[in-house]
Amino acid sequence: MRCRLRRPQPGRPVRRPGRDRQGERFEGQVALVTGGGSGIGLAVAEVLAAGGASVGLFGRNLERLRTAEKKIVAAGGEATACAGDVRDLDSVQSAVAEVEQRYGPITFAVNAAGTGVGQKYLCDEDEESWLRTIDTNLNGSFRFCRAVVPGMMHRRRGSIVLVSSAAGKRGVPANTAYSASKWGLNGLVRSLALEVGSAHVRVNAVCPGFTDTEMVRGESL
Ligand SMILES: NC(=O)c1ccc[n+]([C@@H]2O[C@H](COP(=O)([O-])OP(=O)(O)OC[C@H]3O[C@@H](n4cnc5c(N)ncnc54)[C@H](OP(=O)(O)O)[C@@H]3O)[C@@H](O)[C@H]2O)c1
């Protein structure tokens, strides 16, 4: 019986220390993750980085993003913190430019930034709190997509995931603003997916149920 030895293949990525067994899964990919400093966003960023992606971490709290960046780098991954607010299109576009200048074109874009702060029964809800929730969760998702979609369409490559919620698929009392924002987000995802699919850009939502994070512990700002 002949024994075939595998020769190293030129151009094949070399597994770097600190990467998991599936460490080449995202090798060469560039990701931007909003809400990357905590909770679900941070968990997604860590998985992407462990799989070899270079990850931009976006959020308002730079100190927390830097802590997340250090954690990922200490585990052998590649990450950079970019402060910004999904309520401000310019800051999202600046983060896209910063990440692309540093790592190259963004191939994965995950919007986990969101708020569930101050949800009330409708009769107790003030307009400002309603608008803040919609502006972060729904309008923020629009701004995020507006910042990443043109480049992905131009390159005919990219995958976008917007973090929605089980509350975007059913009614939740004392959560009208949050639930409405996530129903709207799901509509954005369905329509945008049809709009850009032919340009090889995928758009999906994930709808998590209850997850133990700062948001549900009432610690989010
Ligand atoms: N936990 C659950 O049970 C659950 C269930 C379903 C869906 N979700 C969704 O999952 C996503 C992540 O939430 P989480 O549970 O992981 O809670 P979390 O730890 O509080 O994460 C929310 C993240 O969003 C960021 N953020 C909030 N407002 C922002 C803004 N205006 N601009 C930029 N970043 C902003 C926060 O960072 P900064 O404070 O630094 O800005 C934070 O990192 C949210 O969209 C939430 O609706 C959560």
Side-chain angles (χ1 to χ4, degrees):
M1 195 199 294
R2 282 176 61 191
C3 175
R4 286 194 190 169
L5 288 175
R6 275 208 185 147
R7 296 207 181 106
Q9 291 170 12
R12 197 149 181 259
V14 177
R15 184 175 294 134
R16 289 184 236 158
R19 298 280 156 79
D20 60 23
R21 288 295 297 163
Q22 295 173 312
E24 291 163 12
R25 199 162 37 143
F26 304 125
E27 202 73 47
Q29 307 288 344
V30 176
L32 174 63
V33 182
T34 71
S38 67
I40 293 171
L42 175 56
V44 169
E46 287 182 306
V47 169
L48 288 170
S54 303
V55 184
L57 306 164
F58 181 91
R60 295 164 301 174
N61 184 336
L62 184 58
E63 201 179 317
R64 195 162 60 168
L65 293 173
R66 290 243 162 91
T67 304
E69 176 190 309
K70 279 186 194 142
K71 190 177 174 204
I72 288 172
V73 170
E78 186 66 55
T80 189
C82 314
D85 191 322
V86 293
R87 292 170 298 178
D88 171 21
L89 180 60
D90 284 349
S91 75
V92 186
Q93 285 175 324
S94 298
V96 169
E98 196 180 323
V99 168
E100 295 200 332
Q101 192 179 23
R102 191 172 175 134
Y103 297 130
I106 291 170
T107 48
F108 292 157
V110 181
N111 185 41
T115 182
V117 170
Q119 297 303 304
K120 297 184 177 82
Y121 286 102
L122 186 99
C123 293
D124 301 323
E125 179 95 83
D126 57 71
E127 190 182 354
E128 193 193 331
S129 144
W130 170 277
L131 291 175
R132 193 178 51 242
T133 304
I134 300 292
D135 201 27
T136 302
N137 297 354
L138 178 56
N139 300 345
S141 298
F142 156 73
R143 293 184 193 102
F144 181 71
C145 293
R146 185 66 188 79
V148 294
V149 162
M152 288 182 171
M153 286 186 76
H154 178 69
R155 296 185 293 271
R156 296 181 67 77
R157 183 180 183 211
S159 176
I160 298 169
V161 174
L162 303 184
V163 180
S164 179
S165 170
K169 297 170 83 179
R170 64 170 88 110
V172 187
N175 264 279
T176 48
Y178 183 79
S179 183
S181 71
K182 298 295 187 176
W183 276 81
L185 187 159
N186 289 346
L188 165 66
V189 165
R190 283 178 182 272
S191 300
L192 186 60
L194 294 172
E195 200 172 300
V196 301
S198 59
H200 301 269
V201 178
R202 282 180 290 135
V203 187
N204 287 287
V206 291
C207 296
F210 189 86
T211 311
D212 184 14
T213 64
E214 288 179 15
M215 181 178 287
V216 296
R217 282 183 242 128
E219 293 163 11
S220 299
L221 296 173

